[in-house]
Amino acid sequence: MNLYLRYFDKEILVNNVDDAIAFLADIPEIGMNPVLENDIRAYCDSDVYYPKRYKVRSRVYFIIIKTEAATMMDFKEKRAVHPPIETREKAMTPTLARLNEEVPGWYEGALDFKRVLMVPGTGKFQYRDTHFVAQCKAMSGIDCYNRIVDYLRGRVDERSQFPSAKGKNFKFRYLGHCK
């Protein structure tokens, strides 16, 4: 894993965190300190692949990007910016991997959503966290989610907010084949 660093017109592609810290230490405006150094090392050791920017002063940042590019030219031509496919597949959670897997049968889906309800005393409306569980016939986890949301949309206030099927507020499990 290589690191691309840029601060205004100063840029470098290095293959280890020590070279990156040395590059940043040579720029006086950045003011390298132990806290910043530890944060950079933690970012480089993590599985996070999105670019990281660090504030130097108001509206002035330097950026660090993890890349598989071997040379600056490869990086500039956007070759090997993303991690290998094997790494990205490991990062995918098992629930997300199962969401689109088509297995017809009975599913139980649990959904936590924001439901709009009227307060009887004032006549005003407010959002309430609501937990809803249903069993339905579906082709996949995403089909189960869509069936539950379609059912609820016809029975709750249209201003109610439903979470993403990929988020932590929707869970499902396969119950078995349908006859």
Side-chain angles (χ1 to χ4, degrees):
M1 178 65 56
N2 294 326
L3 301 167
Y4 169 79
L5 292 93
R6 185 179 72 220
Y7 178 71
F8 288 109
D9 61 344
K10 299 174 183 154
E11 62 184 1
I12 192 169
L13 184 72
V14 297
N15 60 3
N16 63 48
V17 71
D18 294 325
D19 291 343
I21 290 171
F23 169 76
L24 294 170
D26 288 341
I27 303 171
E29 299 95 40
I30 291 179
M32 182 57 73
N33 59 44
V35 174
L36 181 60
E37 182 179 338
N38 290 338
D39 193 51
I40 292 170
R41 288 184 189 280
Y43 168 72
C44 293
D45 291 339
S46 71
D47 291 335
V48 175
Y49 286 97
Y50 58 83
K52 179 92 174 188
R53 68 180 192 168
Y54 291 91
K55 189 172 190 172
V56 175
R57 61 181 183 274
S58 179
R59 294 184 291 210
V60 176
Y61 300 87
F62 71 87
I63 188 169
I64 300 176
I65 300 174
K66 291 182 180 178
T67 181
E68 294 293 325
T71 66
M72 186 66 83
M73 183 61 81
D74 289 346
F75 180 78
K76 293 288 184 170
E77 293 178 358
K78 298 187 183 344
R79 293 185 205 147
V81 172
H82 299 289
I85 292 172
E86 305 85 47
T87 308
R88 280 186 277 164
E89 286 175 354
K90 282 187 220 172
M92 184 186 295
T93 62
T95 306
L96 287 179
R98 290 186 4 222
L99 192 60
N100 292 320
E101 183 180 319
E102 288 202 13
V103 181
W106 284 95
Y107 286 83
E108 180 179 82
L111 185 69
D112 295 324
F113 68 102
K114 301 280 188 189
R115 184 176 184 178
V116 174
L117 293 172
M118 185 175 70
V119 178
T122 63
K124 295 183 180 180
F125 293 90
Q126 70 178 15
Y127 285 102
R128 287 254 174 97
D129 290 332
T130 306
H131 183 74
F132 183 81
V133 179
Q135 295 177 352
C136 62
K137 286 184 185 177
M139 296 297 291
S140 63
I142 192 71
D143 187 32
C144 173
Y145 170 82
N146 291 334
R147 288 175 185 257
I148 291 172
V149 170
D150 288 343
Y151 174 83
L152 289 171
R153 282 197 199 278
R155 288 165 177 77
V156 298
D157 191 291
E158 62 189 31
R159 295 171 290 184
S160 297
Q161 298 174 353
F162 297 100
S164 167
K166 297 176 184 174
K168 64 180 181 178
N169 291 324
F170 173 67
K171 295 183 177 28
F172 70 95
R173 65 185 178 116
Y174 180 70
L175 298 176
H177 291 287
C178 57
K179 295 182 181 182

